[in-house]
Amino acid sequence: MKDHVGIGIIGFGTVGAGTVKILQENRELIHERTNLYLDIRKIADLDIETDRGIPVDPAVLTRDAEEVIHDPDVDIMVELIGGYEPAARFIKESLRHGKYVVTANKALLATRGWELFETADENGTNIAFEASVGGGIPILRSVREGLCANQFQSIHGILNGTANYILTRMDEAEMDFEEALSEAQAKGYAEADPSYDVDGIDTAHKIAILSTLAFGVRVPFDAIPVKGIRSISQLDVRYAHALGLVIKLLAVGRWQDGELEIRVHPVMIPEHHLLAKVKGVYNAIHVIGDFVGSTLYYGKGAGMFPTGSAVVSDIISIARQLSQGCTYNLPPLGYPPPAFREAIIQDASEVKGAFYLRMMTVDRPGVLSKISGILGENGISLSSVIQKGKGEEPVAIVMVTHDTTWRQVDAALKIIDQLDVVMKPTLALHIEQDLK
Amino acid sequence: MKDHVGIGIIGFGTVGAGTVKILQENRELIHERTNLYLDIRKIADLDIETDRGIPVDPAVLTRDAEEVIHDPDVDIMVELIGGYEPAARFIKESLRHGKYVVTANKALLATRGWELFETADENGTNIAFEASVGGGIPILRSVREGLCANQFQSIHGILNGTANYILTRMDEAEMDFEEALSEAQAKGYAEADPSYDVDGIDTAHKIAILSTLAFGVRVPFDAIPVKGIRSISQLDVRYAHALGLVIKLLAVGRWQDGELEIRVHPVMIPEHHLLAKVKGVYNAIHVIGDFVGSTLYYGKGAGMFPTGSAVVSDIISIARQLSQGCTYNLPPLGYPPPAFREAIIQDASEVKGAFYLRMMTVDRPGVLSKISGILGENGISLSSVIQKGKGEEPVAIVMVTHDTTWRQVDAALKIIDQLDVVMKPTLALHIEQDLK
């Protein structure tokens, strides 16, 4: 029975430093819980000079990731550099050396996860990745184990803290998108290039991983329709309120008759729903199973310590198994590998729902009738129309439709946005009325 | 490698029927996820005549629990009869026969869990009990595994769906306690004798189990101060709203300097907090860890299918291990058995906080000054006083105190409630202002 387990870390950035700090500060607590000491044997990073404010034995630091991979005393390799390469190569090499791997790399897992899981399988090891979705929230374990008696019906997730922070500030401090983004950047919640977060790509990575675990299918990442939040204006946030709704960047994965509906976009949700109460950098995932019904998981979706908490929980799980020489491997994706088939992705343009349409027009008689005429020709009927404020142009016309589809909305807007009375591209948001 | 695992169930009541239904309906799904078939070999209940609406092979049914315990084809015994005896005896006998046990029996676990876990340990088997806390919410797995990198700081739980349903109806439908209780009984949410639920005992069982997992201590059940919700009136619900607060039956477990603060009672919480949004029969648990920060878990806390979902998730976890002949046992309580010491329980009467005091008095000059005088003599100062409505007696006087303790409040109320101008016992509720 082993009582020390060797940890190697590649990537000593924010999450790497958080992970090291937790392993140090809670070393005795973890020993109490596991009878194990988790020893950091090697930390590789291109920058080993910067002081992270964490005392680390200089002998442990290296610029050469290979030193981690080839160290026979490293049982678990923790990959925290992110991105595709060299992360994928480091992970595969480590697996081939019989090491277990812990990673937070959602981009890699969502797009090239299969080659990694196959390599793990071939080498009798495993990959753990709780930190890749929802930061510190133990959502992957909950889906894979806690709810595994259920056929999952749907997942609705607020999975990006940066985007949620921006939308929250637009809502509560009445900021515009750019202003809220600048504030998020100043506070360290958003990158200098915020595309991954605000354009929905990071959220799409996460819903791809979650959908694979929940529904047991391979999700072709490029098939996920993704829209970001750059087009949301202060006006839309206020109109949402007037309608009893809140705007959230939502990831949706829904299982219907063996097909997967999957999409990432800003939507309006009822303000009384728990997801509407998720503010700032917090994440939440609303999961419905056929027997358990509605469940929700909430916590910080990013940051050195929440994400580090998930990384260390994975390290502990693996260490517990290693220490007992146990060959028991829970399949990392919740299903044994052969079970996975490629998902049949539903055509998102056919997903039915009510829509919020906000048009910016000139203030001229007949505009409203012209626009509603075009909507009608495309089979779209309206449940309400708000036109406020005369005088200043452009004038906002806000319409809420009865149930229709993206296909119909897109077709109508293609014509409407060409009208010379329409001054800016129309914003269309799905209203998730049936959120349980 | 085993591909069939034998299940025996003792107790074919609500949760038993739910468990059987899930095992039947999701049999193929579970096989996809595990490569295993979970076969129900025996179901024991005193009543094997009543039609539960679930097709069961009559040969499987028995009135004799011993048939389950002694059946060599039963690998996992599922105890769903509840209560202390004969449940404890059935569990111990099953463990001694080398069977794994799944149970939802929180009363037994909270009060006599240690003898069961010791028996499991002696016999090299294990007990799983996810269903004992929070129904379908995978809260025990989350605490034991997903958050295991953290020193837990606090747990605040709405852990009883019946009490929460009653408080929700008192709030939203302006019912009195008795009226809401009757409705809950009519809907099957409350027992004919609702004491366990409305008097907080069931909630106390659950926070005892949660605290053991989170803090690694034995919790002497009788040391938990427990108050129920019978004394809450419609008046209090309305005053809470006026103060921006909501009344919830809350279980609190807080770790401070190696000591455990643990208590169950109705409290007032800020209405913007997520726990305040937990309505009806739903449960939620707010867990703070030193590195992960605030997290919350939400779902249905009772019922045949949510609880059945947790039971079956435990069955699947054990079956996965059994099928691989794996001896790996995650300690069921999150710590290896020798780690547990008896908790040092903080004196709840010294817990500091603001209090809500509602007095029913005669309408006479000088009452208010007399009462506030007595409070002052006991070191209690007031932050606000509301006295409404003249004429009809009794008149309600509502006071909110500055930080004080239960000890001081109890001492003052002992005198105040003896005054001849005070017509009914005063209600005192802790205000959880610092809920993060």
Side-chain angles (χ1 to χ4, degrees):
Chain A
M1 179 112 166
K2 255 179 112 132
D3 58 0
H4 284 254
V5 172
I7 314 298
I9 296 173
I10 303 181
F12 199 25
T14 307
V15 177
T19 298
V20 170
K21 176 98 169 167
I22 297 171
L23 286 170
Q24 287 177 352
E25 288 223 345
N26 284 347
R27 181 175 170 83
E28 290 303 325
L29 175 74
I30 293 169
H31 183 259
E32 263 187 68
R33 289 189 178 150
T34 61
N35 286 337
L36 294 171
Y37 284 111
L38 307 183
D39 298 334
I40 300 173
R41 300 267 160 78
K42 280 266 174 281
I43 303 174
D45 198 286
L46 296 178
D47 168 13
I48 58 175
E49 275 76 39
T50 303
D51 182 6
R52 275 90 172 171
I54 297 162
V56 175
D57 177 0
V60 158
L61 291 170
T62 173
R63 278 192 195 81
D64 183 6
E66 299 293 332
E67 278 192 39
V68 177
I69 297 167
H70 293 275
D71 187 333
D73 291 334
V74 167
D75 302 297
I76 301 173
M77 190 282 266
V78 184
E79 182 276 305
L80 297 171
I81 51 174
Y84 303 100
E85 291 295 349
R89 182 164 60 78
F90 291 160
I91 290 175
K92 284 197 229 174
E93 269 191 63
S94 300
L95 294 168
R96 288 197 194 106
H97 280 80
K99 298 191 193 314
Y100 284 71
V101 170
V102 174
T103 178
N105 195 331
K106 55 252 176 185
L108 181 59
L109 290 172
T111 55
R112 292 173 52 191
W114 298 100
E115 50 184 273
L116 307 180
F117 291 113
E118 276 163 23
T119 308
D121 215 42
E122 285 159 18
N123 291 278
T125 72
N126 219 330
I127 304 173
F129 49 101
E130 181 65 71
S132 66
V133 181
I137 309 168
I139 182 63
L140 300 189
R141 276 182 175 71
S142 296
V143 166
R144 191 173 45 208
E145 297 167 58
L147 304 178
C148 65
N150 293 268
Q151 170 64 55
F152 292 96
Q153 295 176 335
S154 66
I155 299 172
H156 288 83
I158 294 172
L159 294 171
N160 185 279
T162 308
N164 200 53
Y165 180 84
I166 291 170
L167 290 172
T168 302
R169 295 297 287 164
M170 289 177 70
D171 188 358
E172 296 187 344
E174 299 192 5
M175 290 180 173
D176 273 322
F177 171 81
E178 290 298 340
E179 200 180 344
L181 171 59
S182 299
E183 187 186 273
Q185 285 168 325
K187 292 202 168 197
Y189 298 153
E191 310 273 344
D193 175 0
S195 316
Y196 261 48
D197 295 321
V198 302
D199 294 334
I201 302 157
D202 174 77
T203 300
H205 288 145
K206 291 165 178 169
I207 192 69
I209 295 169
L210 268 176
S211 296
T212 291
L213 263 75
F215 307 118
V217 289
R218 295 180 185 236
V219 178
F221 183 73
D222 294 333
I224 306 174
V226 181
K227 284 199 176 90
I229 61 169
R230 290 187 203 259
S231 55
I232 308 295
S233 73
Q234 184 48 229
L235 200 65
D236 304 310
V237 172
R238 291 204 304 273
Y239 274 115
H241 269 296
L243 295 162
L245 300 164
V246 172
I247 301 174
K248 291 289 181 191
L249 178 59
L250 210 65
V252 180
R254 196 194 307 259
W255 192 248
Q256 283 177 313
D257 307 320
E259 295 185 10
L260 179 62
E261 176 190 329
I262 186 167
R263 51 193 164 90
V264 171
H265 51 180
V267 298
M268 291 187 170
I269 62 176
E271 63 188 2
H272 60 76
H273 195 275
L274 274 184
L275 284 174
K277 319 287 186 192
V278 176
K279 307 278 179 76
V281 296
Y282 279 88
N283 281 197
I285 305 102
H286 184 241
V287 179
I288 301 183
D290 58 350
F291 285 104
V292 75
S294 282
T295 65
L296 181 132
Y297 310 83
Y298 167 92
K300 283 188 186 137
M304 69 190 294
F305 293 131
T307 308
S309 163
V311 168
V312 176
S313 77
D314 275 348
I315 294 174
I316 292 173
S317 288
I318 294 171
R320 275 174 162 157
Q321 293 178 38
L322 285 176
S323 74
Q324 307 192 16
C326 179
T327 59
Y328 167 63
N329 281 323
L330 183 71
L333 295 167
Y335 289 74
F340 287 89
R341 58 192 185 287
E342 184 99 347
I344 302 165
I345 306 286
Q346 281 191 356
D347 183 354
S349 69
E350 295 297 337
V351 174
K352 273 214 162 67
F355 280 77
Y356 162 94
L357 306 176
R358 185 256 300 154
M359 287 136 186
M360 303 306 282
T361 70
V362 297
D363 189 10
R364 198 182 297 168
V367 170
L368 190 59
S369 86
K370 184 144 199 172
I371 289 171
S372 51
I374 296 169
L375 291 170
E377 284 158 25
N378 284 275
I380 300 169
S381 63
L382 299 175
S383 74
S384 66
V385 177
I386 315 173
Q387 186 179 1
K388 267 189 202 161
K390 292 267 164 185
E392 257 184 273
E393 287 193 339
V395 164
I397 301 179
V398 167
M399 297 172 167
V400 176
T401 73
H402 286 297
D403 270 9
T404 180
T405 63
W406 271 113
R407 188 180 52 70
Q408 287 172 295
V409 168
D410 282 340
L413 293 184
K414 212 168 160 181
I415 302 166
I416 290 167
D417 283 354
Q418 293 303 317
L419 298 175
D420 56 4
V421 294
V422 173
M423 299 171 71
K424 289 168 77 175
T426 297
L427 177 73
L429 296 178
H430 196 112
I431 301 176
E432 299 272 340
Q433 281 161 321
D434 58 343
L435 214 55
K436 272 177 207 127
Chain B
M1 179 114 165
K2 252 178 115 135
D3 57 0
H4 283 255
V5 171
I7 314 299
I9 297 173
I10 303 181
F12 199 26
T14 307
V15 178
T19 298
V20 170
K21 174 98 169 169
I22 297 171
L23 287 170
Q24 287 177 351
E25 287 223 347
N26 284 348
R27 180 173 171 84
E28 289 303 323
L29 175 75
I30 292 168
H31 184 259
E32 264 186 67
R33 289 188 178 149
T34 60
N35 286 336
L36 295 170
Y37 284 111
L38 308 182
D39 299 335
I40 300 173
R41 300 266 160 79
K42 279 267 176 278
I43 303 173
D45 198 285
L46 295 179
D47 168 13
I48 57 174
E49 274 77 39
T50 302
D51 182 7
R52 275 92 172 171
I54 297 163
V56 176
D57 177 0
V60 158
L61 291 170
T62 173
R63 276 192 196 81
D64 182 6
E66 299 292 333
E67 278 193 39
V68 177
I69 297 166
H70 294 276
D71 186 332
D73 291 334
V74 167
D75 302 295
I76 302 172
M77 190 281 268
V78 184
E79 182 276 306
L80 297 171
I81 52 173
Y84 303 100
E85 290 296 350
R89 182 164 59 80
F90 291 160
I91 290 175
K92 284 197 226 171
E93 271 191 60
S94 299
L95 294 168
R96 289 197 192 105
H97 281 79
K99 299 192 193 314
Y100 284 70
V101 169
V102 174
T103 178
N105 194 331
K106 55 250 174 187
L108 181 58
L109 290 171
T111 54
R112 292 174 51 192
W114 297 99
E115 51 183 270
L116 306 181
F117 291 113
E118 277 163 23
T119 308
D121 215 42
E122 286 159 19
N123 292 278
T125 74
N126 217 331
I127 303 173
F129 49 99
E130 181 65 71
S132 67
V133 181
I137 309 168
I139 183 61
L140 300 189
R141 276 182 176 70
S142 295
V143 166
R144 190 174 45 207
E145 297 168 57
L147 304 178
C148 65
N150 294 269
Q151 171 64 54
F152 292 96
Q153 295 176 337
S154 65
I155 298 172
H156 288 83
I158 294 172
L159 294 171
N160 185 279
T162 307
N164 201 53
Y165 180 84
I166 291 170
L167 290 172
T168 302
R169 295 297 287 164
M170 288 177 72
D171 188 358
E172 297 187 344
E174 300 191 6
M175 290 179 174
D176 273 321
F177 171 80
E178 290 298 341
E179 201 180 344
L181 170 60
S182 299
E183 187 186 272
Q185 285 167 325
K187 292 202 169 198
Y189 298 153
E191 311 273 344
D193 175 1
S195 317
Y196 261 49
D197 296 319
V198 303
D199 294 334
I201 302 157
D202 174 77
T203 299
H205 288 146
K206 291 165 178 170
I207 193 67
I209 295 170
L210 267 175
S211 296
T212 291
L213 264 75
F215 307 118
V217 288
R218 296 181 185 236
V219 178
F221 183 74
D222 294 334
I224 306 174
V226 181
K227 284 199 175 90
I229 61 168
R230 289 186 204 259
S231 55
I232 309 294
S233 73
Q234 184 48 227
L235 199 65
D236 304 309
V237 172
R238 290 205 305 275
Y239 273 115
H241 268 295
L243 294 162
L245 301 164
V246 172
I247 301 174
K248 291 289 181 191
L249 177 61
L250 210 66
V252 180
R254 196 194 307 258
W255 192 248
Q256 283 176 314
D257 307 321
E259 295 186 11
L260 179 63
E261 175 190 331
I262 187 166
R263 51 193 164 91
V264 171
H265 51 180
V267 299
M268 290 187 172
I269 62 175
E271 62 188 1
H272 59 77
H273 195 277
L274 274 183
L275 283 175
K277 318 287 186 192
V278 176
K279 307 278 179 75
V281 295
Y282 280 88
N283 280 197
I285 306 104
H286 184 241
V287 180
I288 300 182
D290 57 351
F291 285 104
V292 76
S294 282
T295 65
L296 181 132
Y297 310 84
Y298 166 90
K300 283 189 186 135
M304 70 190 293
F305 293 131
T307 308
S309 164
V311 168
V312 176
S313 77
D314 275 349
I315 294 174
I316 292 173
S317 288
I318 295 171
R320 275 174 162 158
Q321 293 178 39
L322 285 177
S323 72
Q324 306 193 14
C326 179
T327 59
Y328 167 63
N329 280 325
L330 182 72
L333 295 167
Y335 289 74
F340 288 90
R341 60 191 183 286
E342 184 100 346
I344 303 165
I345 305 287
Q346 281 191 355
D347 183 354
S349 68
E350 294 298 337
V351 174
K352 273 213 161 68
F355 280 78
Y356 162 94
L357 308 175
R358 186 255 302 153
M359 288 137 185
M360 303 307 283
T361 69
V362 298
D363 188 10
R364 197 181 299 166
V367 170
L368 190 59
S369 86
K370 183 144 203 173
I371 289 172
S372 51
I374 295 169
L375 290 169
E377 283 158 25
N378 283 275
I380 299 169
S381 63
L382 299 175
S383 74
S384 66
V385 177
I386 314 173
Q387 186 178 3
K388 267 188 200 162
K390 292 265 163 190
E392 257 183 271
E393 285 193 339
V395 164
I397 301 178
V398 167
M399 299 173 167
V400 176
T401 73
H402 287 297
D403 269 8
T404 179
T405 63
W406 270 113
R407 188 181 50 71
Q408 287 172 293
V409 169
D410 280 342
L413 293 184
K414 212 170 160 183
I415 303 166
I416 289 167
D417 284 354
Q418 295 301 319
L419 299 175
D420 56 4
V421 295
V422 173
M423 299 172 70
K424 289 168 76 175
T426 297
L427 177 73
L429 296 177
H430 195 111
I431 300 177
E432 299 273 339
Q433 281 162 323
D434 58 343
L435 212 57
K436 274 177 205 127

